[in-house]
Amino acid sequence: MSKVDAFRALHEGRTPDDPLVLPGPWDAVSARVFVEAGFPALATPSAGIAASLGHEDGSTPADEMFAAVARIARAVDVPVSADVEDGYGLAPEELVERLLEAGAVGCNLEDSNGGVLKDPHEHAEWLAEVRYAAGGRLFVNARVDTFSHGDGDPERAVERAALYVAAGADCVYPIGAPADVLPLLRSGIQGPINMHGTLDGRGPSPTELGELGATRITFGPGLQRWAALALQGMAGQLRKLK
């Protein structure tokens, strides 16, 4: 079985109490740590990689992002999906080829740019072109930014998601959606749903999100920021050793 087929299979037949949890590595070392912990696949966060490269979120040059994804994919044997923001203005064919060259088996694609929602019909047409160029070689996770850059109306999110699924998206990601609207989203969206998980214990656990309707859980840059806090504490201890 190819890596993309294995990655796609991880999304199938999941029970509500067992969503797919995908940690977000920001470099080769973190990727290896997650794999050694037993995670079967990884999903890179664009914001986490941006921070590791010294960029603000959303300002990483495309070449640097693809190079970072390639280092991560090369470091591990499990499938790696890549967050490539809104595609960096690349034509669908070039975007697909660069993802495949980097060793990615999937991608996360946003439906906003600069904090502004794109026209959903035009974005769906673009996703269809990505799907056509990729064929079965990539698992496409279509981000729905209604809750982060729109009016937060669940019905609008469902409408956008339906367009993206019809265009060939394998999964949709209503980022920023409150947990209490997840059952409504689940009832209106076909196929897998990606939800954002939290690490501070204040939000629902992955299992609770799964029971509400999530298929898979990602954490954005949360793990990278958590690691930075741990390093900050160690740096403070190091200073005391002087």
Side-chain angles (χ1 to χ4, degrees), residues 24-27 29-31 33-34 48 51-52 199 220-235:
W26 55 94
D27 60 14
V29 173
S30 58
V33 167
F34 295 139
S52 74
L199 302 166
L223 288 160
Q224 182 269 330
R225 292 172 181 171
W226 202 10
L229 286 174
L231 186 59
Q232 186 178 54
M234 287 185 281

Side-chain angles (χ1 to χ4, degrees), residues 32-56:
R32 287 174 176 150
V33 167
F34 295 139
V35 171
E36 288 168 3
F39 290 98
L42 306 173
T44 68
S46 61
I49 288 179
S52 74
L53 296 175
H55 297 293
E56 295 295 323

Side-chain angles (χ1 to χ4, degrees), residues 203-229:
S205 69
T207 297
E208 289 169 333
L209 288 172
E211 291 171 343
L212 290 171
T215 310
R216 79 181 209 181
I217 314 297
T218 55
F219 302 90
L223 288 160
Q224 182 269 330
R225 292 172 181 171
W226 202 10
L229 286 174

Side-chain angles (χ1 to χ4, degrees), residues 8 12-13 22 30 49 51 54 67 75 83 98 100 114 119 125 133 137 152 157-158 193 201 204 207 237 239:
R8 186 170 283 111
E12 299 170 353
L22 297 175
S30 58
I49 288 179
D83 181 350
R98 296 200 68 173
L100 293 174
D119 178 273
E125 291 177 3
R137 297 179 294 170
V158 168
I193 295 178
T207 297
Q237 291 297 316
R239 287 283 295 173

Side-chain angles (χ1 to χ4, degrees), residues 139-158:
F139 185 97
V140 178
N141 186 34
R143 209 175 86 174
V144 179
D145 287 357
T146 305
F147 298 95
S148 55
H149 299 305
D151 61 8
D153 184 341
E155 294 295 340
R156 300 290 81 75
V158 168

